[in-house]
Amino acid sequence: MTTLNNRESPRALAILASFLTSESAGGLVLMGAALAAIIVANSPLAPTYFDALQSVWGGLSIELWINDGLMAIFFLMVGLEIKREVLAGGLASWGQRALPGFAAAGGMLVPALIYIIVNMGNAETLSGWAIPAATDIAFALGVLSLLGKRVPTSLKVFLAALAILDDLGAVTIIALFYSTGLNMPMLGASFATLAVLVIMNRMGVQRLLPYLLLGLLLWFFVLQSGVHATLAGVALALCIPLGTRKEEARSPLLFLEEKMHYWVAFAVVPVFGFANAGVSLSGITLGNLVDPVPLGVALGLFVGKQIGVFLAAVLAIRSGLATLPEGSNWTQLYGVALLCGIGFTMSLFIGNLAFPGVAHLIDEVKVGVLLGSIASALAGVWLLRSKLAQR
């Protein structure tokens, strides 16, 4: 795959700045969408809300169009971000990848272990082990933005890089563990389409339109193959050329990422949040909160994330493989580890894959995600705000 020769190219840095700004603001919009969904789901409009999501258009329910269609656009954006950061940005060298890489790995492993321990012996719910393993980059950066310019930029970049690697891990988990009932002819067609995209990249095709048209075809084949359709977005992103430094002004990847930022942050993700965060709280008691699924998810996000991210980061720094983000200290790093427990978008998404069609378990996932994410957000903001006030 072609790559920029200079990882600190002005346009790549400008896109990173735009990314941090749009994701932060988009996180606040996502919070509003989630709150609106919960209010609507517990109001007289609840039947209309749930019926609308199940209404069928073009052979798929509106909920499936959002989760399999709109989220493919989200995953295309994720793939573009991963490729740019690895080839031309903050993850371009092994030294830069060490701290967020260790932190992301620890932040996925420990929450999954906590969920498995809580749900041990329950075959029906064990498949949700990956739900608390993901960090919501938009939500986390949105919460961090509430603290204003006092937060060192290096911490924001660290959180963004960690969440991007976390997304890469989530994509891998979805591909390996949440793809079922494979349709081999359609899977073969998917690989054939992907091969054409790779050949186009190798031949130096720079126009975006052929990639996007083949991307639609790839999405259809993947949807029919049994592999989750959103993975088509990531596969397409990895085939879109980044270009060399001389070609930077017309880089297809940078152009597409730039144009998609605001649509994804302010439309795609909030629509997904509104469609998936709605949970009826009627009939839920305090006893229900300690059921295996909500308890495992909430503890995985709130306890597992902070332990996994912080201890892995300490290991990377103490071993000399990485250094503390510039201008920050250990307490601030721990505060960011707390914010990593905000797992909203990806956690809800994986929950739908783990328990397809099992409404009561999906509702329990929503409750656990909300509890864990809110606790992580409040604790992270309190710690960072008190520490920044001292400075």
Side-chain angles (χ1 to χ4, degrees):
M1 303 290 180
T2 51
T3 177
L4 294 176
N5 294 326
N6 182 359
R7 65 177 175 80
E8 295 183 346
S9 59
R11 191 174 180 194
L13 291 175
I15 288 178
L16 175 60
S18 173
F19 166 79
L20 291 173
T21 302
S22 64
E23 290 293 324
S24 298
L28 300 178
V29 175
L30 176 58
M31 293 179 207
L35 180 61
I38 295 171
I39 292 173
V40 170
N42 291 276
S43 74
L45 294 174
T48 303
Y49 169 78
F50 290 111
D51 288 346
L53 289 174
Q54 297 307 315
S55 61
V56 176
W57 181 75
L60 296 175
S61 69
I62 297 300
E63 185 176 28
L64 282 178
W65 274 114
I66 293 171
N67 292 347
D68 288 14
L70 271 185
M71 287 303 283
I73 299 174
F74 169 78
F75 275 86
L76 170 60
M77 186 71 194
V78 168
L80 294 174
E81 290 165 355
I82 291 171
K83 183 172 181 178
R84 171 179 54 78
E85 286 297 309
V86 169
L87 296 182
L91 300 173
S93 69
W94 288 108
Q96 291 172 300
R97 297 168 195 162
L99 185 59
F102 269 76
M108 298 189 78
L109 178 61
V110 178
L113 288 176
I114 288 178
Y115 181 93
I116 290 171
I117 291 170
V118 173
N119 287 267
M120 189 69 71
N122 191 334
E124 183 185 22
T125 62
L126 267 178
S127 59
W129 61 270
I131 296 170
T135 294
D136 189 308
I137 185 170
F139 223 134
L141 283 173
V143 171
L144 194 60
S145 72
L146 296 175
L147 300 172
K149 296 182 179 179
R150 294 175 296 172
V151 179
T153 302
S154 60
L155 279 180
K156 296 178 183 178
V157 173
F158 165 69
L159 178 58
L162 187 159
I164 287 171
L165 291 175
D166 190 283
D167 284 344
L168 178 60
V171 168
T172 305
I173 288 171
I174 292 169
L176 294 178
F177 299 100
Y178 294 108
S179 296
T180 57
L182 295 181
N183 181 324
M184 298 312 293
M186 285 297 177
L187 190 61
S190 302
F191 280 116
T193 307
L194 184 60
V196 174
L197 287 165
V198 172
I199 291 170
M200 286 170 53
N201 179 286
R202 293 295 187 183
M203 291 178 63
V205 176
Q206 296 290 306
R207 293 186 60 194
L208 264 176
L209 185 59
Y211 289 99
L212 297 180
L213 291 176
L214 279 173
L216 285 173
L217 191 62
L218 177 64
W219 176 82
F220 173 78
F221 287 144
V222 173
L223 177 67
Q224 300 298 321
S225 71
V227 177
H228 201 271
T230 53
L231 297 179
V234 178
L236 172 61
L238 299 181
C239 294
I240 294 176
L242 178 58
T244 63
R245 191 182 179 195
K246 291 181 180 179
E247 300 168 338
E248 181 188 355
R250 55 189 179 90
S251 165
L253 186 147
L254 295 180
F255 175 82
L256 183 60
E257 186 183 5
E258 212 168 0
K259 296 302 180 183
M260 288 181 63
H261 263 316
Y262 293 98
W263 285 104
V264 171
F266 297 109
V268 173
V269 173
V271 167
F272 172 84
F274 181 75
N276 287 272
V279 56
S280 176
L281 301 179
S282 62
I284 294 180
T285 66
L286 291 177
N288 296 135
L289 301 183
V290 294
D291 286 345
V293 170
L295 183 63
V297 171
L299 289 179
L301 288 173
F302 181 58
V303 178
K305 273 291 183 180
Q306 59 174 291
I307 292 175
V309 169
F310 187 69
L311 290 186
V314 170
L315 177 63
I317 294 169
R318 292 299 190 193
S319 64
L321 294 174
T323 59
L324 268 171
E326 184 179 354
S328 66
N329 54 44
W330 290 107
T331 305
Q332 292 170 347
L333 184 66
Y334 183 63
V336 170
L338 280 166
L339 293 183
C340 288
I342 303 173
F344 192 77
T345 304
M346 290 297 283
S347 293
L348 290 177
F349 185 76
I350 294 176
N352 286 325
L353 299 181
F355 307 120
V358 188
H360 74 280
L361 289 181
I362 292 177
D363 283 345
E364 289 189 348
V365 168
K366 293 177 182 179
V367 171
V369 168
L370 289 171
L371 288 176
S373 297
I374 291 172
S376 298
L378 292 176
V381 167
W382 173 80
L383 182 62
L384 287 169
R385 185 174 182 179
S386 60
K387 192 62 181 179
L388 291 169
Q390 290 176 9
R391 291 182 65 194

